[in-house]
């Protein structure tokens, strides 16, 4: 895997992945402190990466098991250390999985497999953070 980061101005950077995707990110509002952030911070991107990694796993596992999954949302909440390096110390992932007649046990299994076995982003972050999760299943066949 490869990536390239280019400084644009102030605290604005553009990252380009080896696959050609670009994202604008930044850490602060610039030297004058007035302008808004140009995009997410690197740490916000790490948190999004962990949630995205697990969401992809969960959908894939459920689809492979022929479950009628229609949606997956992961809401993340975290704490970081107060001193440098300000690593994540706690990450909680709340999954909201929606579909027709989804089996609760299969949703739980898919999430557990993602967190405990497949998601490399969560595996790395769990070296410094306590990672917890919970979930809810929304049955769309009942109008949900």
């Amino acid at each position: 895997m490869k990536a390239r980061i280019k400084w644009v101005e102030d605290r604005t950077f553009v990252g380009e992945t080896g696959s050609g995707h670009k994202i604008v990110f930044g850490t602060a509002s610039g030297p004058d402190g007035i302008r808004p952030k140009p995009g997410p911070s690197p740490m916000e991107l790490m948190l999004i990466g962990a949630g995205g990694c697990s969401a992809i796993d969960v959908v894939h596992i459920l689809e492979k098991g022929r479950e009628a999954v229609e949606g997956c949302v992961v809401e993340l909440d975290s704490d970081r250390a107060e001193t440098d390096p300000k690593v994540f110390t706690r990450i909680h992932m709340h999954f909201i999985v929606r579909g027709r007649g989804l089996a609760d046990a299969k949703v739980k299994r898919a999430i557990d497999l993602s967190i405990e076995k497949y998601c490399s982003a969560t595996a790395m972050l769990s070296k410094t953070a306590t990672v917890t999760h919970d979930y809810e299943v929304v049955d769309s066949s009942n109008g949900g």
Side-chain angles (χ1 to χ4, degrees):
M1 184 176 293
K2 294 185 178 191
R4 181 173 186 259
I5 310 301
K6 180 181 177 186
W7 177 42
V8 178
E9 65 182 354
D10 299 329
R11 300 296 179 263
T12 302
F13 296 80
V14 173
E16 182 174 357
T17 66
S19 59
H21 295 89
K22 294 181 181 181
I23 187 166
V24 176
F25 65 96
T27 60
S29 59
D32 58 12
I34 297 171
R35 289 183 296 264
K37 286 173 58 172
S41 72
M43 293 302 284
E44 288 170 324
L45 288 172
M46 289 182 72
L47 198 59
I48 288 170
C53 181
S54 283
I56 289 169
D57 288 344
V58 168
V59 169
H60 176 74
I61 293 165
L62 290 172
E63 286 180 338
K64 194 172 178 181
R66 301 191 189 277
E67 291 294 307
V69 62
E70 296 173 346
C72 181
V73 174
V74 185
E75 298 172 344
L76 295 101
D77 183 58
S78 66
D79 293 322
R80 292 178 58 195
E82 293 185 21
T83 58
D84 290 328
K86 295 179 182 174
V87 297
F88 288 108
T89 57
R90 181 193 65 83
I91 299 171
H92 181 74
M93 305 172 82
H94 177 69
F95 291 81
I96 304 165
V97 184
R98 184 175 51 83
R100 291 181 314 279
L102 292 175
D104 188 88
K106 289 184 179 182
V107 172
K108 181 184 183 318
R109 179 181 172 274
I111 293 168
D112 289 345
L113 281 171
S114 174
I115 300 293
E116 297 167 9
K117 184 174 182 180
Y118 294 118
C119 179
S120 51
T122 303
M124 287 187 290
L125 291 170
S126 69
K127 301 296 183 193
T128 64
T130 300
V131 179
T132 59
H133 64 279
D134 60 15
Y135 68 97
E136 60 186 278
V137 177
V138 178
D139 189 349
S140 63
S141 62
N142 296 331

